[in-house]
Structures are given as structure tokens and as C-alpha cells.
Amino acid sequence: MLPTLNGRIQTRIFMLVVLGGLITLLITPVLPGDPGYSMTYTVLATVLVLGVGWELAYHGLMQWRWEKDWPTLFGLLNAINEGLLVWVLLELGVVPGLDSGVPLSTFLVMFLVIWVFIWIWTNGPMRIFNIRWRFFGGRLV
Amino acid sequence: MAVIDPSAGTVFPTPGAQNYLPSQPAAGDLTDALLATDWWTDELVASAGIPIVDVPFVSVGGGIGSFVTADYLRIGGVDTSQIRILSALDHPWETYEYLTRVSQIPRGERLRSDSASRPDNIWGFPSYAVSEAWRSKNPATLWQVLVEPTFADFYTPKAGFVFEQIEREAKRIRYDEMLAKGLVRVVRRRAGGGYFTILTPPDGATATKRLAFRSQYVHLAVGYPGLRFLPDLQAYRTEHNDYQHVVNAYESHEHVYERLMTTPSTVLVRGGGIVASRVLQRLMDDRLLRGAQTTIVHLFRTFIDGPNDGTGSSTPHPFMKRKGADGWAYQGFNYPKSVWGGQLKAEMRKLEGAERAAKYKVMGGTNTPYRRYWQQQMNQGRQEGWYQLAIGTVDSMTPHHGRILNQLKTAQGVYPLEVDFVIDCTGLEADIAEHRLLKDLLDHGGAGRNPVGRLDVDRNFELKGTVSGNGVLYASGSSTLGGYFPGVDTFLGLQVAAQEIQADLAKRGFGKRIGTVRSTSQWLKWFSGKQI
Ligand SMILES: Cc1cc2nc3c(=O)[nH]c(=O)nc-3n(C[C@H](O)[C@H](O)[C@H](O)COP(=O)(O)OP(=O)(O)OC[C@H]3O[C@@H](n4cnc5c(N)ncnc54)[C@H](O)[C@@H]3O)c2cc1C
């Protein structure tokens, strides 16, 4: 029912690579600002790398909760802090591999579409495909 | 009429047990030679005249635990002819519905487990909240699961909906074809591998008094070994032959609420768990909505008033702080949420012996969910003086002019309290040895006890020490509490066990592995309601 730290990291990587990768492939041509694939995939990779760090932070916070849980709503709202950090780093130009700035509209649409999609997927349909996943802390391997 | 099986040491009845109780010596009964032998040969059983039925897998109990295990096996491709569920029940939810109904969760009220704890659906998707929203065309339950537990109480499903859905799934997996009615007397290991499970069918249903199921695999899901009264309450009842005024929440006690509607009275409620909460809600609803004039005295043995853990420490570790107030320890479900897959599940899986027992203690302890509606009722009751708290124990009880005089022992000394009714909500569970079948397994089957005293199961829910050749004996539910996985006595826990058991059996060649392809195709069948 609830994932472990290891499971959360695994699930996050899996989701961002597989689902995130697929969504990016599909939506890049229709995103505002006309970005190229190298730009959108770089953004996706940034979200992924920072995400692992965020998981460690959430895990620390979770220890203060008796249930050792992370409510569903938090998982949705974490889009705000995580999105902001990615955006700040993009603005500061410290993300490697980008030749030009990423337009805000491009980033917002892409980030939110992927986030909401993955959030819904992990909170439901994912269980259809792997019956062990929910009882084994969200671990895939 | 349902009677109480005298051997079970329990307050709740076994349906139709009188039909199973030994009456006359009859053909095909257990012999002294059989009872004295730990390993049975085929000849020994045959010489007693007991007919032998061959089936690869039997599940004993026929409650929720047997149901979810059979569900997993059927979804794993095992035919109904390969499974027998040995039970006195007609429907898997029967005992559970009895217990919830009398403890004040009738079909229209909500249970205590979460949206994804679905005994009728091994995937837990769609969850109850989604199904309920879809059915009622009302998104309120979706909103609730979205914002729980921070901005709303945890969503929990209605009892009636859960039972209807189990009924649907039972039809889908053809549960009835697997059911063999009767009470199981013993399970013994068979010389040469596997087990004999001795069933006592209803009187007259078979030519012999017993049937022997010869199987490679056995699964035990017998529920509570027994639910008992507090000893002082039981003593009062038998001594004064008064079964009307002192009742247990797990026995039918509707007459109490009926009397309270007509006669202003005082009720003593004992206990601080979910059952006490439910009984209080019933008493308070009757008072606030239906005009009863009941005064409630609520006796806590342990009074919790702040952060706590299961060891009773008032200064728990910052990472082990459960909320508490006004006597109660508050927790959404009967364990911290992460025991069903998260951090606590992973930690417990590694612990042995005393360390494991200690961990159980920290996260255990009586608790109840914080529900906003109950808080309002209790606040109003406290302000208006008809809901009073007491802390301590009861020294003695005596009848007094048709009422019951309790001597309450508190920190301030002993003082008298006269009440009209006592409702025991302490839900004391009996020792496993009080269950005849489990005791026999301890004495003759090689089973042992875990660090908290219940049946010792391995990580795959195999009952340690009971292996018999190529046969395996599994157990799940309350009688296995204290193992590597903590939440065993819950819907989800029974499903965790069923998943492990199914996977273990598939490895041994009984049924198929439920991988992505099977899981997906079976889910589609579940979704469309296709019978398998
Ligand atoms: C009041 C109450 C409320 C609960 N609410 C929840 C909840 O909201 N959510 C949740 O997840 N869990 C809940 N539980 C816990 C648990 O999920 C249920 O008790 C569940 O029914 C346990 O299933 P089981 O198969 O172990 O036992 P049961 O459903 O009780 O089935 C076991 C059956 O085996 C039978 N049996 C015993 N011995 C023999 C024998 N020798 N031969 C044949 N049959 C035998 C018994 O008579 C019984 O019918 C609750 C428990 C109680 C008491």
C-alpha cells in the first residue's frame, strides 16, 4: 500500500523514463514555444535527477509522521516545489546541455502534463500490471 | 439458531454448530489410535472407516481469509476441482458481518480499512472510493481520498458495499463449487507427504461422521481463536446469572439499545478501541437524534492524553509519536499505514525474536480513528455532562436493586458507581491453544509459537515446523499475528498473505505465476465481470 524509499526511487525512475519519455515524445511537437527534442528531454532528465534528491528529503520528513506515509495529496502538490526548483535552475542557466533558454510556457505545460499523468497512474492503473508492486514497497526489482 | 461452540472459548456463535457437535458414536469416527498418532498412514485412516477425499488444496475456515486465497488461486489458473474450502459458513463474509453488525457497523455504516483494501479485487484498482463515486454519480468520495487524511477523515467503504462486491466476486470465481460444509476437527501430517484434514460434516449430510481430505497443501484461515470477556465481567455473569445487563460488544446486544430508548439509564462502556468508538456513536446517536436519555460513563484502563506509542510511554521517540487525546490513541487504521508495503513492513521483515516482539509493542496498543463526527458528539456530551470519563479498573461488581454496583479503582481511591448496563468493548482475544484445531497442531502437527505467542509462520506464510514431504501447510489471519509481516488480521494483510501463498504454490507447480500478462488479462475479466 505504501512504498519504501528504495521503491519510491525505483518507481520514480521507471515512471519518468517510460511514461515521461513517451509523453515527451508525443507532446514535444505541440508544446508552446516550439521546443526541440533535445530541450524537452534535457528538462525531463533534470526533473529525474533532482527527483531522486527530493525523495531523500521526503523520506526524512516522513519519519516525523507516525504512519510513515506520504498522503496522496502531497504527491500531487509536490509538483509545486519540484517544478519551482527545476525552473529556478533553468533560469540560472546551470542545467547542462541547453543552448537556449526554455520558455516558461513550454516548461509549465510539459511538466504539469507529465506530473499529473504519472501521479494518476501510480495511484491506480499501475496496479493492474504488477500485483506485487503495491505490497513490496513500490519496488520493481 | 446459532450456538456457541463450547470448545472455542469465544463469545460469538458458530453458525449451526449444534449440528456438528458429536452426538452418538457413529461409523467412521476418529479413533484413539488416530488421535495418538502424529503421522497418519493411509491404512490407519481407512481402518477407522473414514472415507478419504483426494484434492490438492484445502483451505480451512471459509471466511475472508479463505476467500481471498481462493480468489488468488483461481486468478492464478487453478480449477475449482483442485480446491476445497472447508467451512461452516455459506458465505465468506458471514462471520465478519456478524461481528461488525453487533459491534455497531451495520451494512450502511463504514468499516475501518482504506479505499484500496478490497477483498473482492486482488489489484485494489479501482478502489472503493472510485467505485462508490461511479455508482452514486457523486465525486464526494473521490475528493475525500484526494485530501485524506489532512483535510478530511480517511475514506472507508460501507460494509454493505463490501459484502455485495465479495458476493459478486464469489460468483465470478465459482466459490460455491469449492465449498465443502463442515467443521474441521484436526489436520495431521500424512506419512508419505501431504496432510489429512478431518472434517465433521453437518449431521446426516454424509454416511460417516467424519471425512478425511487428503491433500498436498493445506491453508488455515480460522479467524479469531476466540473472543473473550474480561474475566471480572464473565464472573459476574455466571455468578448472578445475568446475561442481560452485562454484555460484550461482540455478542448480540440490541436489547440494551431498545431499553435505553424507553428508560433513561446509565451505561458503563469499557475499552478504548474502535469498537468502543462505534458503541459510543450508537449511544450518542440514539441520544442526540432519537431522544434517548442515556448517561454514558466511559472507563479507560489506560488514559492517553497526548503523543504516545504502543508501549505506553508518555515521551515517545520523536519518530514514533502517535496522536492521542481525551483517553484515546488515534490512528487511521489498525496499524500505521506503512505496514502494508512501506517502511514498517520492510523493517519488520528483518526482525527476529525479542526485537520483533518489541517492535510490535511500539506500533501496537489499542487505538481508534479520529473521526470528526465522533469528536463533535463527544465534545457535546462532555459539555452537557452526559458523557463522563473514568480512569482505572473495576474492583468488584454486585447487583443492587436491579442495577449494577461497580467499585471503581482509580488513582484517587475506590469509589462506587451504579449503572444499568455494562458494555464490554475490550475485545480480548483468546490464546491460540483455546482453538481445538490450532491446539492440535501445536501438540501433534509440529507447529510452534512466534515471539508474541501466536502461530509461527515464515515469510511465505508457511507454518514453520509442519512440513510434510512435498506438502506445505500455510496459515493467515489473526492466529498468525506476530510474524514477519504485521498487518495480518486485515483485508489487505490477508491479501498480502494470499499473494505470497499463491506465488509459493505457483513455484511448486500448483497454478501459474501471475505476471504482467496474466495480471492484465485477468483484471480485464474482473472488470467486465466475466466468470472464470
Ligand atoms: C468488528 C471487526 C471489524 C473489523 N473491521 C475491519 C476492517 O474494517 N477492515 C479490515 O481490513 N479488517 C477488519 N477486521 C479484521 C479482519 O479483516 C476480519 O476479522 C476478517 O474477517 C478476518 O478474516 P479471517 O478469514 O481471518 O476470519 P473470519 O472471516 O472470521 O473467518 C474465519 C472462519 O473460520 C471458521 N472456523 C474456525 N475454526 C474452524 C474449524 N475448525 N472448522 C471450520 N471453520 C472454522 C470461523 O467460524 C470463521 O467463520 C475487523 C475485525 C472485527 C472483529
Side-chain angles (χ1 to χ4, degrees):
Chain A
M1 183 155 86
L2 286 182
T4 55
L5 175 62
N6 182 354
R8 288 168 66 96
I9 293 176
Q10 285 187 20
T11 300
R12 185 182 273 257
I13 294 174
F14 176 81
M15 291 291 171
L16 277 173
V17 169
V18 177
L19 273 186
L22 202 67
I23 296 172
T24 307
L25 185 71
L26 295 177
I27 64 170
T28 301
V30 296
L31 282 176
D34 219 7
Y37 279 112
S38 78
M39 178 188 281
T40 50
Y41 277 106
T42 308
V43 172
L44 184 69
T46 312
V47 174
L48 177 71
V49 170
L50 294 177
V52 175
W54 280 111
E55 281 307 346
L56 296 172
Y58 301 150
H59 184 72
L61 291 173
M62 243 181 260
Q63 300 315 306
W64 299 89
R65 298 177 61 83
W66 163 259
E67 311 259 357
K68 311 283 178 259
D69 66 334
W70 200 245
T72 320
L73 183 65
F74 291 10
L76 184 62
L77 297 181
N78 286 141
I80 300 171
N81 52 306
E82 297 202 19
L84 265 177
L85 179 67
V86 177
W87 178 247
V88 167
L89 295 183
L90 288 173
E91 282 294 278
L92 292 176
V94 292
V95 176
L98 287 175
D99 333 318
S100 58
V102 180
L104 180 61
S105 58
T106 311
F107 171 71
L108 260 188
V109 174
M110 173 187 167
F111 181 79
L112 288 179
V113 167
I114 292 178
W115 191 276
V116 170
F117 203 91
I118 290 181
W119 177 78
I120 291 175
W121 192 262
T122 39
N123 278 297
M126 174 70 184
R127 299 182 211 143
I128 298 173
F129 306 100
N130 185 340
I131 55 163
R132 292 181 75 78
W133 176 74
R134 70 171 170 149
F135 295 145
F136 285 82
R139 287 196 332 260
L140 292 158
V141 288
Chain B
M1 195 200 77
V3 295
I4 294 176
D5 177 354
S7 66
T10 182
V11 297
F12 65 88
T14 307
Q18 76 279 22
N19 300 326
Y20 305 98
L21 294 179
S23 42
Q24 313 285 315
D29 198 358
L30 290 168
T31 58
D32 291 342
L34 278 169
L35 286 173
T37 314
D38 287 359
W39 295 81
W40 291 357
T41 60
D42 296 345
E43 296 72 38
L44 193 63
V45 178
S47 70
I50 303 176
I52 296 176
V53 182
D54 277 313
V55 61
F57 179 92
V58 300
S59 177
V60 179
I64 308 286
S66 291
F67 173 75
V68 298
T69 308
D71 197 29
Y72 260 98
L73 288 173
R74 295 284 292 116
I75 289 169
V78 178
D79 191 72
T80 53
S81 64
Q82 309 292 296
I83 301 173
R84 281 295 168 271
I85 292 158
L86 311 181
S87 174
L89 307 177
D90 288 319
H91 307 293
W93 61 88
E94 227 171 291
T95 297
Y96 180 69
E97 180 168 16
Y98 167 81
L99 286 169
T100 46
R101 192 184 62 240
V102 296
S103 65
Q104 303 307 311
I105 314 178
R107 285 195 168 219
E109 292 286 335
R110 293 190 182 271
L111 301 177
R112 197 187 178 181
S113 44
D114 81 331
S115 179
S117 294
R118 278 194 81 142
D120 68 304
N121 175 327
I122 68 166
W123 301 270
F125 176 81
S127 66
Y128 283 127
V130 174
S131 297
E132 191 177 335
W134 177 256
R135 257 197 165 195
S136 59
K137 303 283 174 275
N138 179 350
T141 55
L142 285 180
W143 177 252
Q144 193 180 351
V145 274
L146 173 67
V147 302
E148 72 178 21
T150 323
F151 300 109
D153 295 338
F154 273 118
Y155 167 87
T156 62
K158 285 192 177 146
F161 187 54
V162 171
F163 302 147
E164 283 162 30
Q165 296 299 304
I166 296 179
E167 190 168 0
R168 167 192 185 264
E169 180 68 354
K171 289 213 180 82
R172 199 182 75 83
I173 62 166
R174 295 186 277 141
Y175 184 83
D176 287 352
E177 290 176 18
M178 300 180 273
L179 194 60
K181 296 277 305 267
L183 288 173
V184 169
R185 175 69 174 80
V186 292
V187 178
R188 289 281 172 97
R189 288 166 293 181
R190 172 178 171 269
Y195 305 86
F196 282 109
T197 304
I198 298 294
L199 182 80
T200 315
D203 213 10
T206 44
T208 53
K209 202 167 132 187
R210 319 273 190 191
L211 284 181
F213 286 80
R214 182 166 56 189
S215 66
Q216 189 174 350
Y217 307 109
V218 176
H219 168 236
L220 301 177
V222 294
Y224 298 98
L227 289 166
R228 320 196 69 202
F229 274 99
L230 284 174
D232 53 320
L233 294 186
Q234 187 61 324
Y236 176 89
R237 279 166 50 120
T238 38
E239 191 179 327
H240 303 286
N241 195 25
D242 178 1
Y243 295 86
Q244 293 297 310
H245 298 98
V246 176
V247 296
N248 185 289
Y250 286 135
E251 65 183 345
S252 192
H253 61 282
E254 198 56 32
H255 67 272
V256 174
Y257 305 107
E258 279 162 17
R259 251 290 294 282
L260 296 175
M261 288 306 296
T262 57
T263 322
S265 315
T266 302
V267 179
L268 176 65
V269 174
R270 293 178 67 174
I274 175 85
V275 174
S277 294
R278 293 293 331 170
V279 165
L280 284 176
Q281 185 189 338
R282 173 71 192 269
L283 294 169
M284 293 182 177
D285 277 350
D286 280 354
R287 182 174 174 116
L288 295 168
L289 308 174
R290 291 181 273 275
Q293 289 299 310
T294 313
T295 302
I296 303 161
V297 182
H298 187 182
L299 179 66
F300 285 98
R301 195 184 47 185
T302 325
F303 192 84
I304 290 171
D305 208 10
N308 64 91
D309 63 18
T311 62
S313 156
S314 57
T315 50
H317 188 275
F319 289 170
M320 291 312 275
K321 270 188 182 169
R322 177 165 55 195
K323 288 193 181 120
D326 305 312
W328 309 92
Y330 291 121
Q331 181 171 295
F333 309 108
N334 56 356
Y335 280 95
K337 239 185 147 186
S338 67
V339 306
W340 290 279
Q343 187 173 333
L344 284 171
K345 180 177 189 243
E347 281 171 19
M348 194 67 95
R349 218 175 150 83
K350 291 185 226 126
L351 297 182
E352 300 286 347
E355 266 186 323
R356 198 186 327 150
K359 187 90 183 166
Y360 266 94
K361 210 149 185 241
V362 172
M363 62 186 193
T366 309
N367 59 74
T368 200
Y370 182 97
R371 290 190 184 158
R372 286 157 171 85
Y373 179 64
W374 295 344
Q375 297 297 325
Q376 279 167 19
Q377 286 186 324
M378 289 192 293
N379 279 337
Q380 188 178 347
R382 276 188 288 261
Q383 272 157 25
E384 297 173 2
W386 47 262
Y387 172 54
Q388 297 156 13
L389 300 183
I391 309 163
T393 52
V394 176
D395 238 10
S396 73
M397 293 166 72
T398 40
H400 191 250
H401 304 308
R403 306 183 85 199
I404 303 156
L405 181 62
N406 296 270
Q407 298 296 340
L408 293 193
K409 190 168 160 190
T410 70
Q412 289 76 40
V414 177
Y415 71 94
L417 172 73
E418 216 175 271
V419 300
D420 301 282
F421 293 99
V422 177
I423 307 181
D424 171 16
C425 304
T426 50
L428 213 58
E429 279 186 48
D431 184 74
I432 53 169
E434 291 191 37
H435 191 284
R436 193 164 51 172
L437 169 60
L438 303 185
K439 178 168 169 37
D440 191 77
L441 279 166
L442 292 170
D443 294 344
H444 298 283
R449 291 177 186 263
N450 67 28
V452 308
R454 310 262 181 113
L455 290 180
D456 196 14
V457 293
D458 215 328
R459 293 176 182 84
N460 61 353
F461 291 87
E462 173 181 342
L463 194 48
K464 286 184 183 173
T466 59
V467 82
S468 170
N470 61 0
V472 191
L473 178 57
Y474 302 95
S476 55
S478 155
S479 56
T480 65
L481 184 93
Y484 297 103
F485 165 67
V488 282
D489 183 32
T490 61
F491 295 163
L492 218 48
L494 292 165
Q495 282 183 315
V496 169
Q499 187 176 94
E500 295 278 7
I501 293 168
Q502 192 277 331
D504 197 51
L505 286 168
K507 263 188 228 147
R508 295 166 193 270
F510 187 65
K512 303 196 175 72
R513 202 179 81 86
I514 308 179
T516 303
V517 174
R518 174 167 284 270
S519 179
T520 311
S521 67
Q522 289 291 328
W523 183 82
L524 288 170
K525 286 184 183 158
W526 179 90
F527 191 68
S528 60
K530 189 173 175 334
Q531 197 175 50
I532 54 173

